């Protein structure tokens, strides 16, 4: 007896699935920049459409996609390059100061020994390693040359990879802006045919969650930059406006603003200003912690249709699972999952009077009817 295949399975569909899988495997190196381009296109599409409404068709078809893609790339990469340029410039100054201090010995600061439970031991270990003249140079010479060479090679590979990602993202972004309307209409039609009203609803939830995530990043960066810029000014930190801008730019991404606060503290340590170090470090960490754990999820909650816990779990879980992309993917996945669960719970069929639920609960009245299907 020959068993016929199910109606949804055919040779054409199997061949199409194999070819699609092979295509994804071949372009696996381009998946990350393609996803980045899709994120930027969806997040900035309302603004792009407003600009397109005021331009003639000739410019709208060719010049605007390229100009808008370059503008988005500049707005995303420009602040990051600015932040790292300031950090690199100050790093050179710090190395110069450390080399000068190393000639007479880099003695532990007085506040280190004042730390209760172990402060004296830390100060003694510092002085043993760096207190003598040339201590820092001796410590640096202990680094294996092979390890340093491998580190430089890793940095070179990292720069080359990110340059590749940026280039492919810009090219893809131009194509998405140019053909976005046609692509969106085709996707909407297919989603409506395959999934109906619910498919369209879930796509809207995903788009809203993505845009809310991007907006929360910008707002959190502004809040942290202004707040910590004021704190730097009160603590008499040199160039408080520049350091506030650096902190705000890095704080757009979760957990990266702490590097700016740490850099400011290191700069103050070189001047032996323990009070400023303690104040800036404690207040800066507190502000960034509150922003990452409370302000960011609260800003995301409305647009992403998530409560505080859902937004928090989506951001942190996405970052742990997908890395930097997970900051955007995580809230979208959690928002869509919550929408599916809400739809399932609120549109379940009610129990009929003769439904047997006592075998599950022991009491039909104690079990919510919306949780059980007949």
């Amino acid at each position: 007896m020959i068993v016929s295949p199910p109606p949804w399975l055919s040779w054409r569909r199997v061949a199409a699935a194999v070819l699609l899988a092979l295509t994804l495997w071949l372009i696996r190196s381009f998946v990350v920049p393609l996803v980045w381009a899709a994120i930027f296109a969806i997040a900035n599409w309302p603004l792009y459409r407003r600009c397109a409404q005021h331009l003639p068709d000739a410019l709208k078809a060719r010049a605007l996609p390229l100009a808008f893609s370059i503008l988005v790339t500049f707005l995303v990469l420009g602040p990051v390059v600015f932040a790292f340029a300031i950090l690199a410039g100050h790093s050179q100054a710090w190395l110069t100061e450390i080399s000068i201090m190393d000639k007479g010995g880099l003695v532990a600061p007085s506040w280190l020994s004042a730390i209760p439970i172990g402060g004296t031991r830390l100060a003694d270990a510092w002085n043993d390693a760096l207190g003598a003249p040339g201590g820092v140079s001796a410590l640096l010479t202990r680094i294996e040359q092979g390890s340093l060479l491998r580190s430089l090679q890793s940095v070179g590979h990292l720069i080359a990879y990110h340059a590749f990602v940026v280039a492919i993202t810009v090219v893809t972004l131009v194509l998405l802006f140019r053909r976005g309307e046609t692509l969106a209409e085709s996707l909407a039609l297919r989603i409506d045919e395959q999934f109906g009203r619910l498919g369209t609803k879930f796509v809207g939830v995903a788009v809203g969650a993505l845009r809310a995530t991007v907006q929360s990043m910008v707002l959190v960066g502004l809040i942290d930059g202004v707040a910590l810029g004021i704190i730097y000014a009160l603590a008499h930190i040199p160039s408080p406006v520049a350091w506030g801008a650096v902190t705000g730019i890095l704080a757009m991404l979760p957990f990266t603003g702490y590097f700016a606060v740490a850099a400011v503290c290191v700069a103050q340590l070189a001047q032996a200003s323990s009070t400023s170090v303690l104040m800036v470090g404690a207040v800066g960490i507190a502000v960034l912690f509150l922003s990452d754990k409370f302000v960011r999820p609260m800003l995301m909650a409305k647009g992403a249709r998530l409560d505080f816990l859902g937004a928090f779990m989506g951001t942190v879980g996405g970052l742990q699972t997908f890395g930097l992309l997970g900051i955007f993917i995580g809230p979208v996945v959690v928002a869509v999952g919550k929408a599916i669960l809400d739809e399932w719970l609120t549109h379940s069929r009610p129990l009929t009077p003769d439904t047997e639920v006592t075998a599950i609960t022991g009491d039909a009245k104690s079990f919510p009817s919306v949780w059980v299907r007949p």
Side-chain angles (χ1 to χ4, degrees), residues 113-153:
S113 58
I115 296 177
I117 309 177
T120 304
R121 293 183 179 180
L122 290 175
D124 292 340
W126 179 308
N127 291 327
D128 291 339
L130 306 175
V136 177
S137 301
L139 181 63
L140 292 177
T141 56
R142 297 175 188 174
I143 301 176
E144 296 182 2
Q145 186 175 3
S147 300
L148 181 59
L149 181 60
R150 286 193 297 270
S151 300
L152 293 176
Q153 291 176 345

Side-chain angles (χ1 to χ4, degrees), residues 182-245:
T182 304
L183 182 61
E185 291 177 0
S186 301
L187 287 175
L189 180 61
R190 297 301 299 171
I191 290 172
D192 184 70
E193 291 177 353
Q194 297 294 324
F195 303 101
R197 178 188 61 85
L198 290 180
T200 304
K201 175 183 176 181
F202 296 149
V203 170
V205 171
V207 172
L210 179 59
R211 290 174 180 165
T213 302
V214 175
Q215 293 171 2
S216 68
M217 291 176 57
V218 176
L219 291 175
V220 165
L222 290 174
I223 293 171
D224 288 345
V226 172
L228 289 176
I230 295 173
I231 293 171
Y232 296 155
L234 293 176
H236 303 289
I237 303 295
S239 304
V241 176
W243 278 114

Side-chain angles (χ1 to χ4, degrees), residues 275-324:
T275 303
S276 298
V277 169
L278 293 176
M279 186 188 75
V280 171
V283 177
I285 291 174
V287 170
L288 293 174
F289 179 83
L290 292 175
S291 297
D292 280 334
K293 301 300 185 294
F294 296 99
V295 178
R296 189 188 304 271
M298 289 174 61
L299 293 173
M300 291 172 53
K302 183 177 180 180
R305 301 182 187 180
L306 292 173
D307 55 10
F308 166 77
L309 183 59
F312 175 74
M313 292 189 299
T315 302
V316 177
L319 184 64
Q320 291 177 339
T321 306
F322 301 104
L324 189 59

Side-chain angles (χ1 to χ4, degrees), residues 16 36 38 54 91 93 136 146 179 200 220 250 253 355:
W36 277 119
H54 302 285
S91 298
V136 177
R179 302 183 58 186
T200 304
V220 165
L250 295 180
L253 303 177
T355 302

